[in-house]
Amino acid sequence: MTQISSSPDAAGSASQRPLVALRGVQKHFGPLHVLQDIDLEVAPGEVVVVLGPSGSGKSTLCRTINRLETIDEGEIRIDGQLLPTSGAGLAKLRSEVGMVFQSFNLFAHKTVLQNLTVAPIKVKGVPRREAEAAAMELLERVGVADQADKLPAQLSGGQQQRVAIARSLAMKPKVMLFDEPTSALDPEMISEVIDVMTALAKDGMTMIVVTHEMGFARRTADRVVFMDSGRIVEVEPPEQFFSSPQTARARDFLGKILDH
């Protein structure tokens, strides 16, 4: 079994604590063993892209990190703290771990601005005026400030996903999780979301990204994690993974993906 750990270059000094650490993680859905012996560390400021065929466990891995899915064995730590199971500790964790889904998950009956301010006001107690000012800065950052007073249904899919990213950023998370953030978008809308994610990476946001966007993985990832049948089977810098993958399964996957 391949030993998985942060590379020295990505992790910095050996004494630097990983921001996200999974150790011996196991997860079943009934008889299906969907996560098997997962060991992974993500350093502060690192961008890790998770690739693999459908059903390989990528999205489940992502969802365990903020406990949208429970695990059966092992441990997950965020900034050194064991993942809480419930209560105030779990709520605090979810404010520190932003997540962007493929289906946007915006509040349909709230304006774009309200989507960004509701959690900072209700969860963190930020004064409304302060929350709105910060929200407008984030909407400007992702290029949709002119849509602040609209409802999500009035926006394109690409605009909605950029709002969803801004909404997660409004909680000032330590790490951002992206679960197939462009898979529900028309092709012409994908680039506007990828551009926002690339800018986040350049700004030093710690990111774990489940995606089929190979261009993003090549350009932006510090490491590529390749999964198959619930296991991490390869972890490499993108230039090495795409030019000379070490496993037959990864070579087969890339052959099918890159030829189409």
Side-chain angles (χ1 to χ4, degrees):
M1 178 181 170
T2 304
Q3 182 65 35
I4 307 301
S5 62
S6 294
S7 66
D9 289 342
S13 68
S15 62
Q16 185 180 32
R17 182 171 69 190
L19 188 54
V20 180
L22 295 87
R23 303 259 193 272
V25 170
Q26 312 281 352
K27 171 68 179 176
H28 294 78
F29 288 130
L32 296 176
H33 197 172
V34 294
L35 294 179
Q36 304 184 45
D37 304 312
I38 299 295
D39 294 310
L40 181 67
E41 292 184 356
V42 180
E46 189 179 14
V47 178
V48 171
V49 170
V50 184
L51 302 179
S54 296
S56 60
K58 308 182 301 296
S59 290
T60 302
L61 172 67
C62 198
R63 291 167 66 87
T64 62
I65 295 172
N66 71 347
R67 213 173 179 276
L68 287 175
E69 297 287 356
T70 59
I71 61 175
D72 300 324
E73 294 180 38
E75 67 173 37
I76 301 175
R77 293 181 181 271
I78 305 295
D79 203 10
Q81 301 299 308
L82 198 61
L83 202 66
T85 58
S86 61
L90 183 58
K92 183 175 186 296
L93 166 89
R94 287 182 174 155
S95 74
E96 295 177 345
V97 181
M99 187 156 186
V100 177
F101 303 86
Q102 58 182 288
S103 55
F104 319 140
N105 286 10
L106 298 172
F107 298 119
H109 301 296
K110 292 184 180 296
T111 66
V112 165
L113 183 62
Q114 289 168 339
N115 264 275
L116 265 69
T117 59
V118 63
I121 291 170
K122 292 191 173 183
V123 177
K124 289 194 167 183
V126 177
R128 181 175 302 277
R129 184 172 296 180
E130 181 181 332
E132 289 180 348
M136 288 304 299
E137 288 182 9
L138 287 171
L139 292 173
E140 186 73 40
R141 183 177 176 184
V142 301
V144 289
D146 58 339
Q147 310 295 322
D149 294 327
K150 291 185 178 179
L151 294 173
Q154 296 174 285
L155 275 58
S156 71
Q159 289 172 326
Q160 289 188 61
Q161 193 62 292
R162 285 184 281 160
V163 171
I165 293 171
R167 183 177 66 174
S168 289
L169 292 173
M171 294 297 283
K172 300 181 179 178
K174 294 178 178 178
V175 57
M176 287 280 287
L177 310 175
F178 293 85
D179 185 11
E180 304 273 14
T182 60
S183 65
L185 299 178
D186 292 334
E188 65 268 23
M189 297 178 185
I190 291 174
S191 62
E192 61 191 54
V193 174
I194 291 295
D195 288 347
V196 170
M197 294 169 61
T198 301
L200 280 180
K202 289 179 178 177
D203 287 345
M205 174 62 71
T206 307
M207 298 165 60
I208 300 173
V209 184
V210 175
T211 185
H212 288 296
E213 295 299 322
M214 298 296 128
F216 176 83
R218 284 178 181 270
R219 293 189 306 271
T220 309
D222 294 301
R223 286 183 298 153
V224 171
V225 171
F226 178 72
M227 294 187 68
D228 185 47
S229 300
R231 294 183 180 274
I232 294 176
V233 297
E234 192 162 339
V235 180
E236 302 288 353
E239 62 273 16
Q240 182 167 334
F241 178 78
F242 285 103
S243 64
S244 56
Q246 300 300 297
T247 62
R249 189 65 188 92
R251 288 192 292 272
D252 179 63
F253 173 80
L254 287 175
K256 292 176 180 176
I257 290 288
L258 299 179
D259 289 345
H260 292 84

